[in-house]
Amino acid sequence: MDESQAPPSRPRPLASHRPAFLLRPASLLRTSQSALFRLPSRPVVSATGLPAWSVCGVFARKMSLREPPVTVSDLQQLLKKKDEIEAQIKACYEVLQDQKGVGMSEPLVDADGYPRADVDIYQVRTARHNIICLQNDHQALMKQVEEGLHQLHAREKEKRDLDEAEARAEVQSQALPQPFARVNAVSPGSPASFAGLQVDDEIAEFGSVNSQNFQSLQNIATVVQHSEDKPLRVTVIRRGEKTHLGLTPKRWSGKGLLGCNIVPLQR
């Protein structure tokens, strides 16, 4: 067929330019529900200064990083952030309250399925999204605060226990003289036994002999030989406590003038 004789082509129908509110309710519901409740197509800056969808999980990501021990200053900063987030959440709720008090769960379509004309749907949707993100951040932040308080209390207790142990050790070291010999045997009925000397007593003073002038057991032997039948002042450390004894070297049924065996301490 000759192109000049071909029948004219049938014109295409123009696309409908009817506004969205003239569409059928069912069509509107299908096309609008996903638009009403999906994330905005452009970044919505939240009260924190970050895009709304980047706010969620900010503190959760920080918590996953290995950080140095929490200090009091760190906790104060966290509490300051907590107050800021709570203020932002309050501001978002005020936005919803201004929009006919729609809250977090009120529908944004009317009974016929049309978008509500009495509220700013975009503003409501943004405020709801920010509230959810900020509440997640608030929960993560409070977990950080709780863990930080536990760390601080644990460190304070550890430091206090260490200080008390050091103080006790210092008091004991100052109160107890330095021993230089140990009793490793005491014969029953001997002068040492009558004086109350016991096995494992550590001798800190034996007459004029002490840790400052003690050189060998010969020092003790010399004092004993010159103190026969004369009382000697003996200071021993027994189970961490200082004890004073009166020991009189003298002859008895056993060997020597004391009836005990003394060995030098190995330092």
Side-chain angles (χ1 to χ4, degrees):
M1 179 183 295
D2 189 1
E3 293 183 359
S4 61
Q5 299 179 359
S9 60
R10 187 175 181 179
R12 296 181 180 179
L14 297 176
S16 174
H17 296 287
R18 289 180 296 173
F21 61 84
L22 295 180
L23 295 175
R24 292 180 302 166
S27 302
L28 174 63
L29 198 58
R30 287 195 299 271
T31 59
S32 63
Q33 279 182 340
S34 60
L36 287 174
F37 302 106
R38 67 173 180 264
L39 289 177
S41 58
R42 64 178 184 276
V44 179
V45 178
S46 69
T48 61
L50 298 173
W53 55 76
S54 67
V55 177
C56 292
V58 169
F59 294 106
R61 288 195 298 273
K62 286 185 178 180
M63 290 177 62
S64 64
L65 301 177
R66 185 178 297 275
E67 296 181 352
V70 177
T71 63
V72 175
S73 177
D74 294 334
L75 278 180
Q76 291 174 345
Q77 291 296 323
L78 290 176
L79 292 175
K80 182 179 179 181
K81 291 179 182 178
K82 177 187 77 71
D83 294 338
E84 293 174 354
I85 291 177
E86 290 175 350
Q88 294 166 14
I89 292 175
K90 181 181 178 182
C92 290
Y93 271 112
E94 289 175 352
V95 171
L96 297 182
Q97 186 64 30
D98 292 341
Q99 294 293 323
K100 304 296 182 180
V102 293
M104 294 292 293
S105 58
E106 290 292 326
L108 299 181
V109 294
D110 58 21
D112 297 325
Y114 293 103
R116 290 178 57 173
D118 59 337
V119 297
D120 186 332
I121 294 177
Y122 183 81
Q123 191 174 18
V124 170
R125 181 160 49 88
T126 301
R128 287 178 174 179
H129 177 74
N130 285 347
I131 288 173
I132 294 173
C133 289
L134 290 168
Q135 287 176 338
N136 290 338
D137 291 343
H138 186 272
Q139 182 179 3
L141 184 62
M142 292 308 298
K143 184 177 180 181
Q144 278 187 296
V145 171
E146 181 181 359
E147 292 177 351
L149 287 173
H150 284 316
Q151 288 185 26
L152 280 181
H153 291 323
R155 289 206 306 272
E156 286 296 326
K157 183 179 183 302
E158 182 179 358
K159 182 178 182 300
R160 186 169 58 251
D161 294 343
L162 181 61
D163 291 342
E164 291 177 356
E166 290 179 350
R168 287 194 299 267
E170 184 177 357
V171 169
Q172 290 179 356
S173 64
Q174 292 177 352
L176 297 178
Q178 182 71 30
F180 57 87
R182 182 176 63 86
V183 178
N184 69 350
V186 177
S187 301
S190 65
S193 178
F194 282 115
L197 209 59
Q198 298 179 9
V199 174
D200 288 333
D201 281 350
E202 293 184 346
I203 300 174
E205 296 178 0
F206 194 97
S208 60
V209 181
N210 54 45
S211 60
Q212 301 298 321
N213 56 22
F214 174 78
Q215 296 179 347
S216 67
L217 293 179
Q218 185 60 42
N219 300 129
I220 296 178
T222 300
V223 170
V224 171
Q225 291 173 3
H226 290 84
S227 301
E228 185 175 352
D229 296 325
K230 297 178 183 179
L232 289 174
R233 177 185 173 89
V234 179
T235 302
V236 299
I237 308 300
R238 181 180 298 166
R239 291 184 290 275
E241 296 182 358
K242 182 169 62 175
T243 302
H244 298 294
L245 303 174
L247 174 60
T248 302
K250 59 183 178 181
R251 299 189 180 276
W252 61 294
S253 60
K255 295 182 179 180
L257 299 177
L258 298 179
C260 66
N261 191 50
I262 299 174
V263 295
L265 285 176
Q266 301 297 327
R267 296 296 183 186

